[in-house]
Amino acid sequence: MTAPLNDNNENNGYDSIRRSYRRMFFYQIWVRSFFDGDGDGVGDLKGVYEKLGYIRSLGIDAIWLCPVYPSPNADYGYDISDYTAIHPDFGTLRDMKMVLDRAHELGMKVIMDLVVNHTSDEHPWFTESRKSRDNPYSDYYIWRDEPNNWDSLFEGKAWKYDPGRGQYYLHIFSEKQPDLNMDNPEVRSEVKKIMRFWLDMGVDGFREDVINFISKREDLPDGLPFVPAVNGMFAYKDGPHIHEYLSEFRKVCEEYDCIQIGEGPMTTLKNALTYLSGKNKTLDMMFSFDHMMADCIYTEYIHRPFSLRKLKRAFSKWQYGLGGKAWNALYLENHDHPRVISRYGSERFRNESGKMLAAAYIFQQGTPFIYQGQEIGMTNIRLRDINDYKDISSKTNFHKYHIRDTLEKRMHRIHLSSRDSARTPMQWSGERYAGFSAVRPWFCVNPNYKTVNVAAQEDDPDSILNFYRRCIALKKHSKVLTYGSYREFFPRSREIFMYERVYKGMQRLVICSFSKRFTQVTLPKKYADRPRRLLLCNYAADSRDDMLFRPYEVRVYSFPRSNTDND
Ligand code: GLC
């Protein structure tokens, strides 16, 4: 089945993001590590401005900017102390406007992160709220005389006692990220004001942070005590008023040409459909997490060897589940997960597996998101000392969960799971500090920057970077790969991920080998005897047309019915 379409507009100018997001490619920027435009070792908006041409050259249509607001950086920008300003590290509102205008000139949209489940404890709302039980902000947060048994996702219990007010406040993330009380209409009205502020400035939409957490069950029931470290997790998501609140926000967006993409940790497919489809649809797309757990149960907690079958089950679950009803947000990396080559591919076959992984997700049905550095095949860092890591969740996990293990084992787990692997400076060139900055950057550069960098890959037609460009161009020019239905073959295979896309009789077959060895591939019966054309491959073309796949080989085939079947 093919998803419903309302974007028949053929022009490539993408005038309306609402109408055309299904045909777009997004690029995610975690600004602090993208490019330092003012020479202080920290990435900033000037740096983003300078690299807009590069981003556009990939074929990108829209940028998602991670939080650029003032923040004490307890959680690097996801603890906001002022929603309508820019962090001085990143520049000014004027710089933001310049980025917006230039991106628009280049034909790209810009969406921002909307983080409203919580603020920073240094936000003036919280500093007021904690003062007393009867001031204008006292009900902006979730205060209780007695805490329930919930654990926070980042550090210890989810409640912290505030001696000034004589009560506990809820923080699902760090202590410095108190949860807002969305049941208070004034808080919702603040959120709408924030949205309007940025939309009036020209922003084209929002990525809405942990948006399924914003409504909590009123009784705040205890969680299941046998779920270690995340006790309460299932009680604080998809609360009773979530749709009501999201439809209020949706109304604001409807006044503008704006899209909304929600981050939905732990959301089931069934729940996701309640946000993404039907007449009360409140989000255009959602970031789901199942496919990010093919080597773990939540990256931070329990690690397992990579299982291709688990990955394929997750991919297909969301492809079949949303197909014809809603639209997927496709991603393999972002600022919260280690680098995908180090997880699902192979650092030894970095080049081959990086390209294969690109094709494996990009050609599914949905809008692809590419995270900075993914397009050049950046890999994980392995720092020796936990104190060299910056991310709060890496530090607290190290101290909390693995206390009985040896130091080596604990560090090994950090190497597998740390979000910091995605936050090292972007590798622009083989020059000092990877061309990211003229001075020592705020965080270490991955030592592989001399070989893994944009400049080297620009000049190499067989680079991962240029392969991403080919994938993007191929999908953008193809209705089958954009709108076609999805079907997986051989789901039980432990080496091969194979799926077809079909649209109005046109067919494409994507075959990905996840094996380090040569692997014989069998075509599904319906394709076996038909003439086929190789549209894309991650190995240099040779004259062979056998089905012996090389390590991490990927091929995309079409099956022309005639010489004119060019999609
Ligand atoms: C989201 C963000 C993550 C942040 C968390 C708390 O999951 O992507 O970076 O730490 O929310 O805001």
Side-chain angles (χ1 to χ4, degrees):
M1 268 219 286
T2 308
L5 307 177
N6 58 2
D7 54 344
N8 289 332
N9 178 356
E10 292 287 320
N11 92 47
N12 271 334
Y14 295 141
D15 295 332
S16 159
I17 193 167
R18 259 174 181 271
R19 276 209 305 279
S20 49
Y21 67 85
R22 294 185 187 84
R23 289 182 285 141
M24 290 184 162
F25 274 79
F26 278 70
Y27 188 86
Q28 182 194 348
I29 301 183
W30 199 76
V31 179
R32 182 166 292 273
S33 286
F34 188 59
F35 186 57
D36 175 11
D38 65 1
D40 62 358
V42 173
D44 46 41
L45 288 171
K46 279 203 175 72
V48 173
Y49 182 90
E50 279 186 44
K51 296 295 182 185
L52 288 172
Y54 163 77
I55 298 171
R56 186 62 176 152
S57 81
L58 300 174
I60 294 296
D61 313 289
I63 291 168
W64 153 24
L65 276 187
C66 280
V68 285
Y69 319 98
S71 160
N73 283 334
D75 186 19
Y76 284 101
Y78 285 89
D79 48 320
I80 297 171
S81 52
D82 182 351
Y83 284 96
T84 51
I86 299 292
H87 194 302
D89 281 356
F90 297 146
T92 60
L93 281 170
R94 213 176 137 255
D95 295 324
M96 181 65 200
K97 183 72 180 134
M98 281 175 66
V99 166
L100 278 175
D101 291 347
R102 183 71 188 132
H104 288 159
E105 269 168 34
L106 290 171
M108 292 187 289
K109 307 287 185 186
V110 180
I111 67 166
M112 289 182 94
D113 232 295
L114 183 71
V115 187
V116 293
N117 177 66
H118 44 265
T119 67
S120 160
D121 66 341
E122 296 180 35
H123 193 292
W125 298 338
F126 191 73
T127 46
E128 287 305 307
S129 190
R130 75 193 321 176
K131 279 185 188 156
S132 69
R133 299 183 191 197
D134 57 358
N135 69 66
Y137 297 94
S138 51
D139 201 24
Y140 266 47
Y141 295 84
I142 302 177
W143 294 95
R144 290 288 183 276
D145 293 330
E146 290 299 327
N148 66 12
N149 75 349
W150 292 0
D151 287 315
S152 88
L153 290 175
F154 280 177
E155 49 180 351
K157 288 287 164 198
W159 296 90
K160 180 157 165 110
Y161 185 70
D162 185 83
R165 173 148 164 164
Q167 278 186 310
Y168 294 83
Y169 66 86
L170 178 69
H171 64 89
I172 286 181
F173 294 91
S174 80
E175 289 179 10
K176 286 188 65 61
Q177 293 167 291
D179 280 51
L180 281 164
N181 173 16
M182 208 51 80
D183 296 332
N184 178 349
E186 282 170 44
V187 172
R188 303 204 295 280
S189 124
E190 301 276 10
V191 172
K192 290 181 262 183
K193 266 193 242 155
I194 296 165
M195 293 171 84
R196 284 211 169 81
F197 176 88
W198 294 107
L199 290 166
D200 286 336
M201 191 168 171
V203 163
D204 304 286
F206 300 102
R207 176 268 187 187
E208 305 184 354
D209 191 64
V210 291
I211 201 67
N212 56 330
F213 288 14
I214 63 168
S215 157
K216 277 101 183 162
R217 284 175 54 179
E218 269 141 42
D219 52 344
L220 303 181
D222 275 352
L224 301 172
F226 52 79
V227 184
V230 289
N231 190 5
M233 207 186 218
F234 296 97
Y236 49 64
K237 68 178 189 67
D238 305 311
H241 300 289
I242 185 85
H243 293 289
E244 191 183 318
Y245 301 162
L246 287 186
S247 39
E248 286 185 31
F249 305 160
R250 186 78 175 167
K251 281 206 187 84
V252 175
C253 283
E254 274 160 9
E255 295 166 25
Y256 299 79
D257 181 38
C258 162
I259 63 159
Q260 293 168 285
I261 307 155
E263 185 201 23
M266 299 169 275
T267 286
T268 59
L269 183 65
K270 202 168 147 221
N271 263 338
L273 281 167
T274 65
Y275 296 100
L276 300 172
S277 59
K279 62 177 184 345
N280 297 325
K281 163 176 166 172
T282 46
L283 296 169
D284 298 292
M285 293 183 273
M286 190 171 235
F287 290 116
S288 61
F289 281 63
D290 289 340
H291 69 289
M292 299 311 281
M293 291 193 270
D295 61 353
C296 62
I297 301 174
Y298 294 104
T299 345
E300 301 84 354
Y301 305 119
I302 300 170
H303 303 115
R304 299 253 187 272
F306 168 65
S307 156
L308 175 61
R309 282 163 66 168
K310 213 173 156 200
L311 179 68
K312 296 195 297 183
R313 267 201 305 279
F315 278 152
S316 290
K317 173 176 154 192
W318 286 83
Q319 287 290 303
Y320 293 135
L322 297 197
K325 300 186 189 115
W327 197 252
N328 272 289
L330 307 171
Y331 75 99
L332 282 182
E333 284 193 9
N334 63 34
H335 64 293
D336 288 334
H337 300 280
R339 295 287 183 176
V340 73
I341 291 177
S342 307
R343 301 178 62 186
Y344 298 174
S346 155
E347 291 186 11
R348 196 174 124 221
F349 292 101
R350 196 184 60 81
N351 196 33
E352 294 79 4
S353 67
K355 293 175 184 172
M356 181 278 292
L357 287 162
Y361 89 106
I362 283 178
F363 297 125
Q364 293 181 35
Q365 191 189 63
T367 299
F369 287 72
I370 298 167
Y371 178 65
Q372 66 189 42
Q374 181 187 335
E375 78 277 22
I376 54 168
M378 283 176 66
T379 55
N380 283 356
I381 42 160
R382 292 174 186 84
L383 307 181
R384 268 200 300 204
D385 189 335
I386 189 62
N387 296 314
D388 295 334
Y389 283 84
K390 305 276 187 191
D391 167 38
I392 176 167
S393 68
S394 307
K395 285 177 190 289
T396 50
N397 288 342
F398 177 83
H399 293 295
K400 190 169 161 198
Y401 303 129
H402 315 135
I403 212 77
R404 280 195 219 101
D405 290 338
T406 59
L407 184 65
E408 285 71 32
K409 198 160 176 198
R410 287 156 76 188
M411 283 314 293
H412 178 61
R413 289 183 154 188
I414 293 299
H415 296 160
L416 292 176
S417 65
S418 175
R419 307 194 293 183
D420 277 342
S421 276
R423 300 175 179 191
T424 59
M426 174 76 181
Q427 294 162 206
W428 292 103
S429 73
E431 285 160 34
R432 203 161 183 219
Y433 307 131
F436 163 78
S437 172
V439 302
R440 178 184 289 280
W442 75 280
F443 190 32
C444 66
V445 174
N446 189 318
N448 68 11
Y449 74 94
K450 286 225 150 78
T451 45
V452 182
N453 65 66
V454 174
Q457 296 196 20
E458 284 286 9
D459 298 337
D460 172 4
D462 291 324
S463 63
I464 302 187
L465 176 63
N466 284 315
F467 190 81
Y468 265 90
R469 287 195 170 109
R470 285 165 64 201
C471 290
I472 295 172
L474 184 62
K475 184 165 184 174
K476 281 174 89 167
H477 290 109
S478 165
K479 287 213 172 76
V480 195
L481 290 172
T482 306
Y483 301 125
S485 62
Y486 166 99
R487 178 173 161 208
E488 188 194 345
F489 296 100
F490 309 116
R492 299 184 64 77
S493 166
R494 293 179 198 278
E495 284 95 27
I496 300 296
F497 173 40
M498 189 190 302
Y499 61 92
E500 68 171 7
R501 303 291 311 278
V502 177
Y503 183 71
K504 296 192 176 161
M506 293 180 282
Q507 292 148 326
R508 300 290 179 270
L509 193 65
V510 181
I511 311 175
C512 310
S513 168
F514 278 74
S515 175
K516 291 189 173 67
R517 286 189 282 275
F518 279 69
T519 307
Q520 188 62 46
V521 170
T522 315
L523 284 176
K525 268 206 197 82
K526 68 188 264 199
Y527 292 119
D529 301 323
R530 297 199 19 213
R532 55 180 177 262
R533 202 151 64 86
L534 185 63
L535 300 180
L536 186 78
C537 179
N538 58 345
Y539 278 85
D542 62 20
S543 53
R544 296 181 327 164
D545 190 30
D546 62 37
M547 282 289 141
L548 187 64
F549 271 52
R550 291 157 278 193
Y552 294 101
E553 181 161 352
V554 60
R555 299 186 199 172
V556 180
Y557 284 112
S558 68
F559 297 87
R561 289 164 301 181
S562 68
N563 288 340
T564 54
D565 184 4
N566 284 328
D567 181 18

